[in-house]
Amino acid sequence: MAAAVSRQAILDAAQCEDESEAYELALPNIGLKAMLGLTKCVRLRVLDLSFNAIRAIEGLDALGDLRELKLYANEISHMHGLANCVKLQSLLLHDNRLGADCNPSGSGLQALAQLETLHVGTNHRLGAAGLSALRLGQLPALTELDASSARLGASPALPGLRVLETLRLEHNEIADLTCVASLGALQELHLGHNELRGDALVALAALTRLSTLHLESNRIERLDRLPHLPKLVELYLASNRIATIPILAGEKKAAERSGHTAASK
């Protein structure tokens, strides 16, 4: 395994003659144990070091123009080393070793004011404590969050995510939805493979922009607590215990209009 990124590996992957000319660099699955060696890649915007054995986020101080950072499928356990990545828009950290103590300083993500996409799913040690430790409220531009398969139970804390549009929480142990009640900008919500029952659905009432809702493979037995969601287009309910599906609010209004038209004739 390589202890760091070599100059020749950078030149070959980026197809350039000097590290400073590299704008995109992809070095997945080459046995890297560390991220050192990138200090001269000052123009780099996209960096893919996925599927390696990297244990720490480091060596990025000179990469102030970085926009996308792909570090999924590594062995990273802590959030640090991103302080100078102020232009970062996408950070993919799923399938690592993030746990409850993943952000000991509390400021691991603080500099990322432009971050729009964050994936921390498939970190099986994360849990609700780890998700809270990330302090997601420090990310004012975040529009997409993936925390699926992260052993989240009960109602994980999701404070301050006022512009969040897509939220993936499938394959967890969530039984309560108070965590999403304040996410009024949500358009897509993925909650499949959790522990939800019908009574929990009432918490969705404030999600008036929601267009896609995944509730498959839960413990839902009834839908009478599902509120009217005016923008809802796609609703997934497979593999639940629902005996009957009532007429949803939009369908009811359409039926009433149809009946009124027929009666007037």
Side-chain angles (χ1 to χ4, degrees):
M1 287 190 176
V5 184
S6 70
R7 179 177 186 273
Q8 193 59 51
I10 294 172
L11 299 181
D12 290 345
Q15 296 183 343
C16 58
E17 297 181 356
D18 188 83
E19 295 125 296
S20 64
E21 299 173 359
Y23 286 90
E24 296 188 18
L25 180 61
L27 294 169
N29 198 25
I30 61 169
L32 284 175
K33 297 177 65 176
M35 298 174 57
L36 301 174
L38 299 169
T39 54
K40 294 183 179 180
C41 300
V42 293
R43 297 181 181 177
L44 205 60
R45 294 198 172 192
V46 180
L47 176 60
D48 181 358
L49 298 178
S50 59
F51 292 100
N52 282 292
I54 296 168
R55 296 187 176 183
I57 303 173
E58 58 187 345
L60 300 178
D61 290 349
L63 276 58
D65 275 340
L66 197 63
R67 305 297 204 276
E68 298 181 34
L69 180 55
K70 303 174 183 180
L71 290 173
Y72 53 89
N74 277 286
E75 299 177 9
I76 296 166
S77 59
H78 292 92
M79 299 292 296
H80 53 65
L82 296 168
N84 288 1
C85 299
V86 294
K87 295 182 181 180
L88 198 64
Q89 298 174 356
S90 177
L91 176 58
L92 307 186
L93 284 167
H94 47 288
D95 195 13
N96 273 281
R97 296 185 177 182
L98 298 176
D101 60 344
C102 62
N103 190 20
S105 69
S107 58
L109 298 174
Q110 190 173 14
L112 309 184
Q114 297 183 31
L115 193 70
E116 299 175 357
T117 300
L118 175 63
H119 290 190
V120 292
T122 327
N123 278 279
H124 299 301
R125 304 177 182 181
L126 190 65
L131 191 65
S132 178
L134 290 176
R135 299 193 180 184
L136 300 177
Q138 297 176 340
L139 304 174
L142 194 66
T143 58
E144 179 182 337
L145 172 64
D146 185 342
S148 55
S149 299
R151 292 192 177 178
L152 303 178
S155 184
L158 298 170
L161 302 179
R162 297 180 180 178
V163 299
L164 194 69
E165 297 177 352
T166 301
L167 176 60
R168 305 193 70 102
L169 295 175
E170 60 261 55
H171 292 281
N172 282 295
E173 302 169 5
I174 299 170
D176 184 276
L177 291 177
T178 55
C179 60
V180 303
S182 62
L183 305 179
L186 269 187
Q187 298 177 19
E188 290 188 31
L189 179 56
H190 299 256
L191 292 166
H193 301 272
N194 276 286
E195 302 292 329
L196 295 170
R197 295 184 180 274
D199 289 344
L201 303 181
V202 69
L204 303 176
L207 307 185
T208 56
R209 299 182 185 179
L210 200 65
S211 61
T212 301
L213 176 58
H214 283 258
L215 294 170
E216 65 272 15
S217 298
N218 276 278
R219 297 187 176 185
I220 299 170
E221 298 178 343
R222 47 193 288 188
L223 290 174
D224 57 332
R225 302 303 300 276
L226 180 65
H228 173 49
L229 301 170
K231 297 293 181 67
L232 192 66
V233 176
E234 300 180 27
L235 174 61
Y236 297 85
L237 295 167
S239 300
N240 277 287
R241 304 174 181 178
I242 304 168
T244 60
I245 298 180
I247 297 178
L248 301 180
E251 294 178 349
K252 184 176 180 181
K253 290 180 179 179
E256 290 174 349
R257 288 196 299 269
S258 178
H260 177 74
T261 302
S264 65
K265 291 181 179 179

